[in-house]
Amino acid sequence: MYYERVSKFLDKIEKEDTKIRAFIEIYYDDALAKAKELDKKVNEGKKLGKLAGKAIAIKNNIAIKGKLLSCASKMLENYIAPYNAHVIEKINAEDGIILGSTNLDEFACGSDTTNSAFFQTRNPLNIEYVPGGTSGGSAAAVAANFIDIALGSDTGGSIRCPASFCGVVGIKPTYGLVSRYGLSDTTMSLDQIGPITQSVNDAKLMLSVIAGKDERDQTTYRTQKMKLKYSGKPSIAIVKEFLDGADEQIIKNFHLLIEKLNIGGYNIKEVSIPTIKYAIPIYYLTVFAEFSSAMQKYDGLRYGKIDYILENINESVNELRGDKFGLEVKRRILLGTYITTQEYQKEWYGKTLSARAVLKKEIEFVLSKYDVLLGPTMSTLPWKIGEKSNPLEMYLADILTVPANLAGIPAGSVPFGKVGKFKPGIQILGNRFGEGKVFALMEEIEMLEVE
Ligand code: GLN
């Protein structure tokens, strides 16, 4: 039975992914072999894992042993992962079936998956539009019904933005809840792996599998800290600044939701978190500094196939990095190197760290009084492919998603309502390890009828 199910998914991918281009690689043989193995287990009356038979896709910046780990970059075009990421070990142990790896913006830098060095992914809701980024391949694969569950990574919104643009569910967990072992890091202090799914229930299921302590990532915690169940009505704070500058259609859709929640008897108050207006510079300066350092290991020699070596090794590295990194990656490396040089470190990076602490405190203060914060996930609907080419414009699109990463708190996105073909995401942020309350409200919103 699993064999048939997986074959159907693979057929659909083969027929339709030529249009969407969600996948970088499809693991036909491995997926069918795993499905066969599960069928055998069933016939033998053996117990199956929590993810038995679920069709899964993995963002291609997460290591799967023996498979290409490209990060959608020419730098890693031929790099084969020598080990499994922690999350892959967990999925395998619970009998999930991995169907393939998905496209992303190069090294998870971007907001719409047009910045992959290989090809652009399209939005299944309307293929002239972007799927959001950087986990655009993962969200598109879920929205196109190619799979049940995908994993993405989220540094400043890369799970929630594509979930919102493709009309599916996504959650960035509390920092430290899911091990980053085997995730190609973008910004170590912000990155988290999380699920993108059709339903809130599947997101919960996947998170319960991948969360937990891992000795190989010392920022992780034991799962006891996370409470996935919550039965009650979380109190809600609407952050005024989340609506500043949002598109009219997004605001209208959000107000419709508030009306429904009011009728449902929720306690809702408006609050202000003033430092959110600086969230973009705080976020990007943090990213530039950590990203430039994370990229140092890619010298064009150590990972993947070596294209050429010049007589002078330094020149080789310069040339190879010049050839293989894309424009956005180079921009971030240069800016990051600049702001962390001794002369400017205090002025730029030091101030960024202080400002981040202020923002975190303000968010924590509001969350000490309310269970969750609520707002739209993105301030706009998806844009057309190629419409945004200016990097600053792209950075500004992240304004609503970066605060959760800067504060290390969980944030989920669940679709609500309909605007044309799109189903914009609603974002719910909770306290550290407050995933239970976030999921509770996501489930409530998922069930609301919209006429
Ligand atoms: N758009 C953000 C950036 O470019 C977020 C990326 C991410 O979450 N990986 O940094």
Side-chain angles (χ1 to χ4, degrees):
M1 105 206 174
Y2 290 126
Y3 190 85
E4 271 79 57
R5 186 163 194 270
V6 168
S7 305
K8 268 195 199 144
F9 276 123
L10 289 171
D11 285 348
K12 190 171 167 68
I13 295 171
E14 184 153 306
K15 275 198 208 100
E16 295 172 26
D17 197 42
T18 43
K19 264 198 333 249
I20 310 287
R21 308 227 57 194
F23 284 92
I24 287 186
E25 274 199 318
I26 303 160
Y27 311 142
Y28 293 99
D29 295 346
D30 299 294
L32 290 171
K34 177 85 186 183
K36 236 187 204 164
E37 188 189 307
L38 292 186
D39 282 344
K40 193 163 161 248
K41 264 190 175 176
V42 174
N43 288 336
E44 289 168 354
K46 286 193 182 142
K47 199 171 166 270
L48 295 182
K50 283 208 251 178
L51 292 175
K54 291 277 183 196
I56 296 165
I58 306 290
K59 185 176 183 179
N60 202 216
N61 61 351
I62 298 173
I64 305 177
K65 191 174 174 181
K67 302 286 179 218
L68 174 73
L69 177 59
S70 72
C71 297
S73 176
K74 290 222 162 73
M75 181 56 87
L76 296 175
E77 212 169 9
N78 318 295
Y79 177 63
I80 304 296
Y83 59 87
N84 275 329
H86 175 82
V87 291
I88 302 299
E89 291 173 352
K90 293 278 193 175
I91 289 172
N92 287 341
E94 293 295 344
D95 290 329
I97 304 180
I98 299 176
L99 270 54
S101 61
T102 54
N103 198 21
L104 62 149
D105 291 295
E106 183 177 4
F107 282 110
C109 296
S111 302
D112 64 4
T113 318
T114 59
N115 195 31
S116 160
F118 305 149
F119 50 83
Q120 299 177 342
T121 298
R122 291 170 178 272
N123 190 325
L125 299 176
N126 183 338
I127 60 167
E128 282 175 26
Y129 287 76
V130 299
T134 62
S135 316
S138 286
V142 173
N145 292 312
F146 292 157
I147 45 158
D148 299 304
I149 304 179
L151 287 189
S153 66
D154 191 310
T155 306
S158 280
I159 287 175
R160 291 157 287 155
C161 160
S164 174
F165 280 8
C166 293
V168 294
V169 171
I171 182 163
K172 178 206 90 73
T174 299
Y175 185 79
L177 192 62
V178 179
S179 168
R180 288 171 293 110
Y181 177 75
L183 167 72
S184 155
D185 55 326
T186 296
T187 306
M188 273 172 64
S189 74
L190 302 168
D191 301 333
Q192 270 293 283
I193 296 173
I196 299 179
T197 55
Q198 316 262 5
S199 68
V200 178
N201 209 27
D202 269 356
K204 253 190 198 173
L205 171 70
M206 181 52 107
L207 189 57
S208 72
V209 169
I210 59 176
K213 178 86 190 153
D214 175 18
E215 293 300 334
R216 298 162 299 187
D217 175 355
Q218 288 301 320
T219 62
T220 51
Y221 292 82
R222 302 203 179 281
T223 13
Q224 287 95 293
K225 283 207 175 243
M226 173 183 72
K227 291 186 193 67
L228 280 187
K229 281 202 190 86
Y230 176 78
S231 50
K233 281 192 184 334
S235 56
I236 301 173
I238 296 178
V239 182
K240 199 166 115 286
E241 288 78 8
F242 280 172
L243 295 172
D244 290 349
D247 278 4
E248 217 172 286
Q249 291 160 303
I250 296 283
I251 295 180
K252 214 170 124 204
N253 192 54
F254 185 67
H255 283 154
L256 190 67
L257 169 72
I258 299 305
E259 258 171 51
K260 301 228 172 229
L261 292 176
N262 271 327
I263 296 170
Y266 279 86
N267 167 22
I268 308 176
K269 291 270 153 38
E270 195 183 84
V271 298
S272 171
I273 302 182
T275 305
I276 280 189
K277 58 176 174 296
Y278 303 114
I280 289 290
I282 298 172
Y283 170 78
Y284 274 95
L285 289 168
T286 308
V287 167
F288 296 158
E290 292 187 37
F291 183 73
S292 65
S293 136
M295 290 297 111
Q296 277 181 21
K297 57 183 169 288
Y298 299 116
D299 52 11
L301 304 169
R302 248 179 293 191
Y303 297 89
K305 195 176 116 250
I306 299 173
D307 281 357
Y308 54 84
I309 302 189
L310 306 176
E311 229 168 90
N312 178 321
I313 194 76
N314 288 337
E315 262 173 42
S316 287
V317 173
N318 281 347
E319 290 284 322
L320 286 163
R321 279 167 71 92
D323 285 352
K324 287 166 179 262
F325 280 140
L327 203 60
E328 181 58 29
V329 169
K330 284 183 191 155
R331 179 180 298 119
R332 293 182 188 209
I333 293 174
L334 289 176
L335 287 166
T337 309
Y338 176 79
I339 64 167
T340 49
T341 50
Q342 219 174 354
E343 304 97 286
Y344 299 114
Q345 211 179 64
K346 255 207 189 128
E347 205 173 319
W348 290 100
Y349 190 51
K351 273 192 189 148
T352 303
L353 291 178
S354 314
R356 178 175 173 182
V358 172
L359 176 61
K360 187 163 178 268
K361 255 207 183 124
E362 284 181 12
I363 293 176
E364 282 168 356
F365 178 72
V366 175
L367 279 171
S368 70
K369 302 207 160 355
Y370 298 88
D371 291 321
V372 293
L373 311 180
L374 187 71
T377 306
M378 297 297 291
S379 48
T380 68
L381 292 172
W383 47 88
K384 278 203 163 151
I385 291 186
E387 195 179 312
K388 274 200 209 297
S389 49
N390 172 332
L392 275 183
E393 218 187 325
M394 195 76 93
Y395 296 170
L396 289 174
D398 301 329
I399 178 71
L400 303 183
T401 49
V402 298
N405 303 73
L406 291 167
I409 57 176
S413 178
V414 60
F416 172 79
K418 240 184 158 206
V419 183
K421 289 188 174 175
F422 300 112
K423 299 179 264 182
I426 300 294
Q427 188 181 209
I428 301 152
L429 298 82
N431 271 301
R432 279 178 68 69
F433 304 106
E435 270 78 0
K437 288 178 183 170
V438 172
F439 277 134
L441 191 55
M442 284 169 80
E443 264 169 350
E444 179 79 24
I445 295 175
E446 186 179 43
M447 282 180 323
L448 289 174
E449 302 277 340
V450 195
E451 26 324 299

